């Protein structure tokens, strides 16, 4: 009988230990595990006098430099080869904007002790070769198409870096890049040669989501006139950006 009691007690103790281990194991495993996004962020981040510098920050600085390495010559080429004033004006904006950004990124890289690329990437060299081979109206169309697509792809990257960086130098560089990229997108669209349908198709996901929310209603035949909004006296508008827009 005593042996049965001992055996029963042992089973109870064993069960309690197993339960305790089952409860604590998730805590240990989550606390000690490696390879999570936060772990990688910490492992790839370095300390600087201007705040933490992540791998995304460093990649962004390099991409700003790469953009100037091919868009500057593309802009100069458009100034010479563009058959319309709008295309030549877009070329002028590319030259002015990336001359400004290139000086800024070299300043930031020097203060952060980062190495910068000194030649365009493979895809960028292909774009330059494609533009160099075109003439006349074909050149105008290729210039507007290639440059608008490239700027559209980099726009969300700038926003992601600006929203998440903890480094003050990278933050101001992202501000400058955002202003410049938006200006270039605007002047490229003013050429009248941008294929917006193609851009929309490129931006659409390859597969439709499993569940689709109903689309909001389309425009009515006679919409009500819009009333201009006025700022509340208790909620003033934010001040203008301190850094002037590149000319």
């Amino acid at each position: 009988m005593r042996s049965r009691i001992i055996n029963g007690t042992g089973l109870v103790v064993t069960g309690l230990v197993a339960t305790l281990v089952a409860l604590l194991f998730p805590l240990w495993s989550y606390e000690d595990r490696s390879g999570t996004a936060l772990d990688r962020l910490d492992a790839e981040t370095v300390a600087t006098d201007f705040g933490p510098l992540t791998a995304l920050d460093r990649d962004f600085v390099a991409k700003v430099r790469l953009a100037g390495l091919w868009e500057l010559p593309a802009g100069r080429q458009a100034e010479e080869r563009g058959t319309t004033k709008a295309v030549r004006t877009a070329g002028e904006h590319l030259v002015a904007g990336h001359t400004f950004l290139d000086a800024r990124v070299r300043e930031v890289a020097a203060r952060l002790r980062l190495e910068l690329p000194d030649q365009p990437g493979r895809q960028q060299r292909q774009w330059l070769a494609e533009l160099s081979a075109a003439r006349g109206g074909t050149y105008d169309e290729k210039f507007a198409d290639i440059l608008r697509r490239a700027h559209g792809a980099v726009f969300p990257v700038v926003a992601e870096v600006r929203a998440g960086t903890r480094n003050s130098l990278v933050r101001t560089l992202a501000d400058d890049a955002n202003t410049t990229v938006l200006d270039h997108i605007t002047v490229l669209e003013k050429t009248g040669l941008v294929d917006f349908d193609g851009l929309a198709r490129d931006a659409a996901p390859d597969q439709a989501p499993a569940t689709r929310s109903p689309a909001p209603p389309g425009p009515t035949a006679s919409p009500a006139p819009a009333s201009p909004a006025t700022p509340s006296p208790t909620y003033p508008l934010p001040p203008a950006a301190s850094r002037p827009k590149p000319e």
Side-chain angles (χ1 to χ4, degrees), residues 229-237:
T230 55
S232 169
T234 60
Y235 189 80
L237 294 175

Side-chain angles (χ1 to χ4, degrees), residues 48-50 104-114 169:
T48 76
D49 294 338
F50 309 95
R104 285 283 295 116
V105 73
R106 285 188 281 111
E107 174 193 352
V108 168
R111 298 179 73 180
L112 293 175
R113 300 180 181 179
L114 297 177
L169 289 182

Side-chain angles (χ1 to χ4, degrees), residues 56-98:
L56 178 61
D57 294 335
R58 299 192 295 274
D59 183 60
F60 170 70
V61 173
K63 284 182 176 178
V64 173
R65 169 68 171 173
L66 283 170
L69 290 174
W70 81 279
E71 292 184 33
L72 265 172
R76 294 190 184 105
Q77 189 182 70
E79 288 179 303
E80 299 175 358
R81 293 193 185 181
T83 65
T84 68
K85 180 175 176 53
V87 170
R88 294 191 296 272
T89 298
E92 294 171 1
H93 279 245
L94 259 67
V95 171
H98 283 289

Side-chain angles (χ1 to χ4, degrees), residues 201 203-212:
R201 287 192 296 269
D206 294 335
Q207 295 181 348
T211 58
R212 185 186 298 275

Side-chain angles (χ1 to χ4, degrees), residues 156-231:
V157 177
V158 177
E160 179 184 2
V161 171
R162 180 60 181 83
T165 186
R166 293 171 288 169
N167 189 280
S168 60
L169 289 182
V170 174
R171 192 176 302 121
T172 57
L173 180 63
D175 285 337
D176 294 331
N178 182 74
T179 301
T180 304
V181 171
L182 182 57
D183 173 70
H184 292 175
I185 286 177
T186 302
V187 294
L188 287 165
E189 292 174 350
K190 286 183 178 179
T191 64
L193 301 172
V194 173
D195 179 10
F196 289 101
D197 290 338
L199 292 174
R201 287 192 296 269
D202 290 345
D206 294 335
Q207 295 181 348
T211 58
R212 185 186 298 275
S213 300
T220 60
S222 300
S227 300
T230 55

Side-chain angles (χ1 to χ4, degrees), residues 1-106:
M1 176 67 69
R2 183 177 181 181
S3 175
R4 291 180 180 178
I5 294 174
I6 293 174
N7 290 339
T9 303
L11 290 174
V12 172
V13 171
T14 301
L16 291 174
V17 171
T19 302
L20 182 62
V21 170
L23 291 172
L24 292 179
F25 179 75
L27 299 178
W28 294 334
S29 62
Y30 275 89
E31 181 179 357
D32 299 335
R33 66 179 179 171
S34 60
T36 63
L38 185 58
D39 291 328
R40 290 194 297 272
L41 175 65
D42 293 338
E44 297 171 352
T45 299
V46 297
T48 76
D49 294 338
F50 309 95
L53 187 70
T54 67
L56 178 61
D57 294 335
R58 299 192 295 274
D59 183 60
F60 170 70
V61 173
K63 284 182 176 178
V64 173
R65 169 68 171 173
L66 283 170
L69 290 174
W70 81 279
E71 292 184 33
L72 265 172
R76 294 190 184 105
Q77 189 182 70
E79 288 179 303
E80 299 175 358
R81 293 193 185 181
T83 65
T84 68
K85 180 175 176 53
V87 170
R88 294 191 296 272
T89 298
E92 294 171 1
H93 279 245
L94 259 67
V95 171
H98 283 289
T99 298
F100 166 74
L101 266 188
D102 196 63
R104 285 283 295 116
V105 73
R106 285 188 281 111

